[in-house]
């Protein structure tokens, strides 16, 4: 559960959560044996904290801020991993509470200044739907101010973050090893001002429903969830939080980052960063991004060995292989991309590629054209190490797949039905 090594790219999220749950029960049972056992277990009881219900947040905050008898620091200083899930699995909560203190996760981030892993998924409490809140930029500043020296892994889902703020946050997190940000939003230089104030309201339509969001919390009235002094802290954080001083020019180096997953990645801005150890990259690019232009930049992450790619238009498979010469496993998101037939004539053999996965999440798009393209590369001896073409649809494909042709070429063609998501109500593409 405290792992931040490259192996987390393949971890079974459901299994990890179950292991954490079981270990928490064991620690709690041991702490109840006697006072001596409780004193011994005190350190470990709060090493990992996991929350699924908002009504426990005020109680937990008080516990984490309390210094036990015989200790010099509050319990929160012992917390190394915080998992925070709200609006997940059809567990409802008071949505309006988000605008009171959600921008600091209701004080839990400042209460745990030694966090190494932060996993947070917060969506509105609308059963069966996946609606986001407005997220104040104080959240990103709070993460940086409190955790810039300790954080090694961060995964955020449901907090809409504009790309310019993601960039600002990342440049401080120099110890980061794994980063996953879902719900990133484009920065439009014609409409947006760099690091300006958050919108107080927003309207949009989804599933034929008109959604209206408004951040108009009145701090002059107590909500009943937190005491007056805590509410004042929430208010001060929203009004006065600042980015810490930062004077280094680009490129911003994240020397330990090996896993980077962003659902909307603006390649034109990626060159501001250098990821010398990056191995696992999961990106859905903006349609107008030109990967071929970005790949020529000095800081382009050509060291990637595992790539999940989607969103691009008119990019050939041959180009992807050329840009990532170390690639061993390639996953192509068929629903969000357009892959024309490749011209392999100019391409040198790619000797590292072993697995190509053709993935769909919500509907079974026909993979046959791309399979044919891959087999052309196999016949031309352009991918001599390729062993497997893996199909991962949400349901069974038609049986008209080139099973015999693949077998004759020494390629294993397999179909694996994508499992149901760990959390109900989440966008299915972002479960892994």
């Amino acid at each position: 559960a405290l792992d931040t090594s490259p192996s987390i790219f393949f971890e079974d999220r459901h299994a990890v959560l179950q292991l954490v749950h079981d270990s928490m029960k064991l620690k709690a049972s041991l702490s109840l044996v006697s006072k001596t056992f409780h004193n011994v277990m005190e350190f470990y009881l709060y090493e990992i904290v996991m929350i699924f219900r908002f009504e426990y947040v005020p109680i937990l905050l008080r516990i984490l801020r309390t210094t036990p008898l015989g200790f010099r620091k509050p319990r929160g200083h012992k917390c190394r991993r915080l998992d925070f899930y709200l609006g997940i699995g059809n567990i409802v909560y008071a949505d309006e509470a988000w605008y009171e203190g959600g921008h600091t996760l209701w004080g839990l981030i400042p209460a745990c200044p030694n966090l190494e892993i932060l996993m947070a998924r917060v969506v509105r409490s609308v059963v069966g739907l996946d609606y986001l809140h407005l997220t104040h930029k104080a959240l990103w500043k709070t993460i940086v101010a409190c955790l810039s020296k300790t954080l090694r892994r961060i995964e955020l889902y449901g907090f809409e973050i504009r790309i310019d703020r993601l960039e600002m946050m990342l440049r401080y997190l120099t110890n980061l090893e794994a980063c996953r940000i879902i719900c990133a939003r484009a920065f439009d230089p014609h409409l947006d001002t760099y690091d300006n104030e958050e919108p107080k309201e927003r309207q949009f339509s989804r599933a034929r429903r008109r959604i209206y969001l408004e951040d108009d919390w009145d701090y002059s009235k107590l909500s009943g969830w937190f005491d007056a002094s805590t509410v004042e802290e929430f208010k001060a954080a929203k009004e006065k939080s600042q980015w810490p001083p930062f004077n280094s020019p680009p490129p911003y180096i994240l020397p330990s980052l090996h896993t980077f997953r962003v659902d909307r990645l603006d390649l034109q801005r990626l060159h501001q960063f250098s990821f010398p150890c990056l191995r696992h990259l999961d990106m859905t690019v903006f349609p107008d991004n030109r990967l071929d232009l970005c790949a020529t930049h000095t800081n382009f992450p050509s060291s990637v060995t595992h790539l999940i790619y989607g969103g691009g238009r008119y990019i050939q498979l041959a180009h992807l292989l050329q840009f990532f010469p170390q690639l061993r496993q390639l996953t192509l998101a068929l629903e969000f991309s357009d892959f024309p037939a490749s011209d392999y004539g100019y391409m040198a053999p790619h000797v590292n590629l072993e697995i190509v996965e053709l993935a769909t999440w919500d509907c079974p798009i026909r993979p046959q054209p791309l399979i044919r393209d891959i087999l052309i590369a196999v016949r031309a001896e352009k991918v001599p190490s390729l062993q497997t073409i893996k199909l991962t649809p949400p349901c069974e494909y038609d049986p008209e797949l080139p099973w015999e042709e693949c077998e004759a070429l020494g390629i294993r063609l397999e179909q694996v039905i994508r499992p149901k998501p760990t959390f109900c109500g989440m966008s299915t593409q972002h479960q892994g």
Side-chain angles (χ1 to χ4, degrees):
L2 296 173
D3 184 21
T4 58
S5 71
S7 64
I8 63 172
F9 187 81
F10 308 101
E11 77 175 9
D12 183 332
R13 190 172 304 276
H14 179 78
V16 170
L17 291 177
Q18 188 60 51
L19 286 172
V20 171
H21 178 263
D22 293 344
S23 70
M24 286 179 168
K25 290 175 65 176
L26 177 61
K27 292 174 187 178
S29 298
L30 289 174
S31 70
L32 295 174
V33 171
S34 67
K35 183 176 177 59
T36 302
F37 268 84
H38 179 80
N39 291 338
V40 171
M41 293 303 302
E42 179 76 34
F43 179 86
Y44 300 101
L45 276 173
Y46 301 98
E47 189 176 36
I48 299 175
V49 173
M50 186 180 296
I51 278 212
F52 287 89
R53 295 181 180 273
F54 173 72
E55 57 263 34
Y56 298 143
V57 172
I59 301 169
L60 177 63
L61 181 61
R62 288 197 297 271
I63 292 174
L64 294 177
R65 286 180 166 183
T66 301
T67 303
L69 195 63
F71 288 81
R72 292 181 296 176
K73 294 181 179 180
R75 291 186 178 93
H77 287 241
K78 303 165 188 172
C79 184
R80 297 173 59 194
R81 171 169 174 158
L82 173 63
D83 284 44
F84 196 95
Y85 307 111
L86 287 187
I88 304 301
N90 297 336
I91 301 175
V92 298
Y93 69 102
D95 282 314
E96 65 273 15
W98 173 255
Y99 298 110
E100 180 183 30
H103 53 281
T104 64
L105 292 189
W106 293 279
L108 294 180
I109 293 176
C112 303
N114 295 314
L115 274 184
E116 299 174 26
I117 300 175
L118 174 61
M119 314 279 281
R121 289 167 164 80
V122 178
V123 293
R124 291 181 62 212
S125 185
V126 182
V127 176
L129 299 172
D130 196 14
Y131 291 164
L132 311 180
H133 293 286
L134 294 176
T135 303
H136 197 278
K137 66 179 181 179
L139 177 60
W140 323 122
K141 296 177 180 179
T142 300
I143 291 173
V144 165
C146 299
L147 307 177
S148 62
K149 303 301 182 185
T150 63
L151 202 61
R152 296 187 293 128
R153 179 181 180 184
I154 183 171
E155 296 195 15
L156 301 176
Y157 176 90
F159 309 91
E160 188 174 70
I161 178 171
R162 209 170 62 193
I163 287 293
D164 58 322
R165 296 197 179 99
L166 173 59
E167 294 165 356
M168 293 187 75
M169 180 174 69
L170 286 179
R171 66 185 185 179
Y172 293 94
L173 303 179
T174 54
N175 292 318
L176 209 59
E177 298 176 33
C179 174
R180 185 182 188 200
I181 306 291
I182 305 301
C183 299
R185 184 164 59 89
F187 174 82
D188 188 337
H190 302 293
L191 300 176
D192 299 321
T193 302
Y194 194 78
D195 194 37
N196 63 344
E197 290 301 317
E198 299 284 359
K200 297 295 184 182
E201 59 183 37
R202 182 176 300 160
Q203 295 187 44
F204 59 94
S205 297
R206 184 175 293 181
R208 298 183 180 180
R209 297 180 62 174
R210 192 72 175 171
I211 309 299
Y212 179 72
L213 303 178
E214 185 176 15
D215 183 359
D216 61 347
W217 190 265
D218 183 0
Y219 283 100
S220 66
K221 301 176 182 178
L222 292 180
S223 63
W225 295 308
F226 301 91
D227 59 38
S229 62
T230 303
V231 171
E232 280 299 315
E233 292 174 13
F234 296 160
K235 179 182 179 183
K238 184 176 284 189
E239 296 176 350
K240 299 178 182 179
S241 60
Q242 300 290 330
W243 294 108
F246 192 94
N247 299 317
S248 300
Y252 310 119
I253 301 174
L254 275 68
S256 303
L257 189 74
H258 55 71
T259 300
F260 190 37
R261 314 179 98 172
V262 182
D263 68 333
R264 287 289 185 271
L265 185 61
D266 191 341
L267 292 172
Q268 298 173 19
R269 305 173 68 92
L270 186 63
H271 66 267
Q272 299 180 71
F273 290 87
S274 174
F275 310 120
C277 291
L278 191 64
R279 295 296 178 266
H280 302 148
L281 177 60
D282 180 348
M283 61 178 182
T284 301
V285 302
F286 293 104
D288 58 347
N289 275 189
R290 292 281 303 277
L291 185 60
D292 55 338
L293 298 180
C294 301
T296 60
H297 199 278
T298 305
N299 296 323
F300 186 79
S302 57
S303 60
V304 168
T305 60
H306 293 73
L307 174 67
I308 301 176
Y309 179 84
R313 299 292 178 87
Y314 313 117
I315 183 167
Q316 298 179 15
L317 175 59
H319 292 160
L320 281 174
L321 299 180
Q322 180 185 22
F323 300 150
F324 298 98
Q326 306 302 319
L327 207 59
R328 292 171 50 202
Q329 180 170 329
L330 172 62
T331 298
L332 301 175
L334 301 185
E335 285 170 279
F336 312 103
S337 311
D338 183 6
F339 298 102
S342 292
D343 178 6
Y344 293 105
Y346 69 92
M347 178 184 140
H350 191 292
V351 297
N352 294 305
L353 187 67
E354 299 173 358
I355 300 173
V356 176
E357 177 184 355
L358 307 182
T360 53
W361 280 265
D362 297 310
C363 57
I365 294 177
R366 285 174 55 82
Q368 284 87 338
L370 202 46
I371 294 176
R372 285 196 296 269
D373 195 38
I374 296 170
L375 295 182
I376 290 173
V378 173
R379 293 192 194 92
E381 300 181 347
K382 298 296 185 180
V383 284
S385 300
L386 185 66
Q387 301 172 10
T388 304
I389 300 175
K390 182 179 180 181
L391 311 179
T392 52
C395 56
E396 289 281 354
Y397 278 126
D398 292 334
E400 296 179 2
L401 292 171
W403 304 100
E404 295 180 359
E405 185 177 1
C406 288
E407 185 178 0
L409 291 170
I411 303 297
R412 183 171 66 253
L413 178 62
E414 61 182 46
Q415 182 175 214
V416 179
I417 304 302
R418 188 169 296 280
K420 293 182 179 180
T422 303
F423 300 108
C424 299
M426 286 178 58
S427 234
T428 50
Q429 184 190 359
H430 309 303
Q431 299 303 312

